[in-house]
Amino acid sequence: MMVCEYKPGLEGIPAAESSISFVDGQKGILEYRGIRIEELASKSTFLETAYLLIWNELPTKEQIAEFEEEIRMHRRIKYRIRDMMKSFPESGHPMDALQASAAALGLFYSRRDLHNPIYIRDAVVRLLATIPTMVAAFQLMRKGNDPVRPHDELDYSGNFLYMLNEKMPDPLAARIFDVCLILHAEHTMNASTFSARVTASTLTDPYAVVASAVGTLGGPLHGGANEEVIQMLEEIGSVENVRPYIEDCIQRKAKIMGFGHRVYKVKDPRATILQDLAQQLFAKFGHDKYFDIAQEMERVVEEKLAHKGIYPNVDFYSGLVYRKMGIPTDLFTPIFAIARVAGWLAHWKEQLEENRIFRPTQVYNGRHAVSYTPIEQR
Ligand code: CMC
């Protein structure tokens, strides 16, 4: 057996062969199934992109119409899931509510038929359709309101904003939100995707796969960073405070949220698209000083840390976009999950095609031959 050097964080170690997405971190390129992210962001929709990721081809007119209709028909959540969610503490984090709710779906669909394409399609539809409803429902229920039923006339993103805000969405906001979902839908072997594939490799059900990935996405070094970006921008408070704040972080060796990436050593292409979307939103709905603070941060961080390859990542501008849409900060990561479920499901399906259970090894650095000390002698 080949003996490999231990790499903390498994940096640079391939965990799977995959044809779902590709990143060139030096050139700042991201492709889904070979198509550049810039092209998908300007021409596609989230559901079409999800279809592409999961089934490896852009759908025909008939295929996308059928897929959209199936999703539309499955958007409602079961009363029992809704009742369960009502019993969650209002003070709980919406990511925890989402993780529990996604796992609970598995209680209702416990039959596991992983080699049957109909089972796979049903699970894909159910998860893509209900996760936005669960996120919106928890948001309303923790405010003491009843959840809003999905609106059959609205598309995927428009319907989510409608269920969340209890009013018809602005068309530009809905389109921008849809592009945000496209940008977050997939990103090679990140922590939550790895978690999804490990869980999938045990041949458990797809609800457990998604629930474990949601749990992994929640941490501040992964999906949770966009929440922290907003807190940081609020703490900085003015363009003048940017430079001292960054200098202080660098001096304390503290990470600046929304910057740096394990793979990108140039500006994340998704950050460039999001920056442009933020500008469009501010042009329509009014200027925001936090955008100026963000732009200044980008300038100063580049000046100070470009030599280490530290540039804005996807989380830097996404929070600003969601904030301008009036979305509460602690929903940013659940929204990331709404998008990333497409990528997780694509990886679930791909893992099943050539499955081998994950069972890595470890480098043991503990003691040997230690004798048991009776409790009264410790
Ligand atoms: N601010 C300041 N310095 C940084 C940052 C940052 N955000 N990120 C990395 N560095 C420095 C780090 O201090 C280290 O310097 P040195 O070599 O002198 O010790 C060097 O760059 C390499 O950093 P690392 O921590 O070894 O890099 P990593 O690949 O392990 O971490 C990261 C990647 C994303 C966890 C990290 O950049 C980070 O914590 N960023 C802030 C949190 C964040 O924005 N996360 C969202 C990531 S993108 C979306 C997602 O994956 O969900």
Side-chain angles (χ1 to χ4, degrees):
M1 187 192 176
M2 196 170 69
V3 179
C4 300
E5 182 198 349
Y6 164 57
K7 291 273 196 173
L10 299 186
E11 182 170 359
I13 307 222
E17 282 187 337
S18 181
S19 62
I20 301 169
S21 63
F22 168 81
V23 171
D24 183 328
Q26 301 298 333
K27 295 193 182 133
I29 292 173
L30 168 61
E31 293 171 338
Y32 294 170
R33 299 288 189 185
I35 305 178
R36 287 282 283 261
I37 192 66
E38 291 82 359
E39 211 175 349
L40 290 166
S42 63
K43 299 183 184 156
S44 188
T45 63
F46 171 66
L47 279 187
E48 186 186 61
T49 299
Y51 189 105
L52 167 74
L53 288 167
I54 296 165
W55 283 289
N56 193 12
E57 295 294 344
L58 282 169
T60 62
K61 257 189 204 159
E62 293 72 30
Q63 285 169 329
I64 191 66
E66 195 186 338
F67 187 52
E68 284 172 354
E69 185 54 20
E70 278 177 77
I71 300 268
R72 205 182 295 269
M73 282 165 54
H74 287 85
R75 281 169 176 173
R76 291 191 186 172
I77 47 174
K78 288 184 178 298
Y79 284 111
R80 289 169 77 179
I81 297 253
R82 211 182 76 170
D83 291 345
M84 177 195 80
M85 292 179 79
K86 269 193 178 150
S87 67
F88 291 168
E90 303 80 32
S91 56
H93 196 287
M95 274 304 264
D96 295 331
L98 179 60
Q99 188 185 22
S101 312
L105 273 182
L107 291 162
F108 295 92
Y109 307 101
S110 53
R111 184 181 62 94
R112 236 177 265 145
D113 196 359
L114 299 176
H115 297 295
N116 182 348
I118 298 172
Y119 174 86
I120 295 205
R121 174 127 180 162
D122 285 352
V124 164
V125 166
R126 199 170 288 122
L127 280 157
L128 280 169
T130 54
I131 283 192
T133 315
M134 290 170 175
V135 172
F138 182 68
Q139 168 61 10
L140 294 196
M141 288 191 286
R142 70 178 171 163
K143 290 198 294 185
N145 299 355
D146 276 335
V148 169
R149 283 190 172 190
H151 194 308
D152 287 344
E153 302 299 312
L154 292 172
D155 66 12
Y156 194 80
S157 290
N159 174 58
F160 173 69
L161 293 178
Y162 166 78
M163 292 188 298
L164 190 69
N165 299 323
E166 304 176 87
K167 60 174 193 213
M168 290 304 269
D170 173 85
L172 176 69
R175 171 60 194 159
I176 288 181
F177 187 84
D178 205 61
V179 177
C180 290
L181 295 187
I182 295 174
L183 299 179
H184 287 85
E186 159 65 8
H187 206 243
T188 72
M189 197 52 66
N190 53 85
S192 60
T193 299
F194 182 46
S195 173
R197 286 192 81 125
V198 171
T199 310
S201 79
T202 69
L203 303 184
T204 185
D205 66 72
Y207 310 101
V209 169
V210 168
S212 74
V214 170
T216 310
L217 184 68
L221 296 188
H222 192 5
N226 55 11
E227 282 187 35
E228 308 224 355
V229 168
I230 293 297
Q231 282 157 18
M232 175 183 74
L233 293 174
E234 285 172 351
E235 193 187 323
I236 295 174
S238 71
V239 171
E240 298 70 57
N241 289 343
V242 166
R243 188 170 288 273
Y245 179 91
I246 289 170
E247 284 171 351
D248 179 58
C249 286
I250 294 173
Q251 207 234 329
R252 288 187 293 113
K253 292 191 180 303
K255 293 269 166 68
I256 304 158
M257 286 293 132
F259 285 86
H261 199 279
R262 175 63 61 83
V263 183
Y264 292 115
K265 298 304 162 203
V266 293
K267 186 169 175 180
D268 184 330
R270 300 166 300 172
T272 308
I273 301 170
L274 281 160
Q275 187 175 10
D276 178 53
L277 296 178
Q279 255 156 342
Q280 289 181 38
L281 262 190
F282 297 135
K284 178 155 185 190
F285 297 106
H287 189 69
D288 191 320
K289 75 168 177 176
Y290 294 108
F291 188 65
D292 298 336
I293 298 175
Q295 305 255 71
E296 177 66 1
M297 283 195 77
E298 186 175 341
R299 265 191 297 275
V300 178
V301 172
E302 186 171 343
E303 179 193 313
K304 305 263 176 200
L305 293 172
H307 66 282
K308 287 190 187 175
I310 308 296
Y311 289 91
N313 60 46
V314 67
D315 286 323
F316 190 57
Y317 287 105
S318 62
L320 278 171
V321 169
Y322 298 146
R323 188 175 187 278
K324 194 68 188 168
M325 290 182 181
I327 296 173
T329 311
D330 62 1
L331 289 192
F332 295 176
T333 319
I335 288 170
F336 192 157
I338 291 176
R340 188 55 63 84
V341 77
W344 295 331
L345 290 169
H347 281 271
W348 166 59
K349 197 166 155 289
E350 187 175 69
Q351 181 66 34
L352 293 180
E353 281 157 15
E354 296 273 340
N355 189 50
R356 185 148 196 235
I357 189 168
F358 277 90
R359 189 21 178 124
T361 186
Q362 62 170 19
V363 178
Y364 178 69
N365 63 2
R367 297 176 294 173
H368 289 285
V370 179
S371 58
Y372 179 85
T373 315
I375 194 156
E376 47 297 337
Q377 290 172 27
R378 285 177 226 161

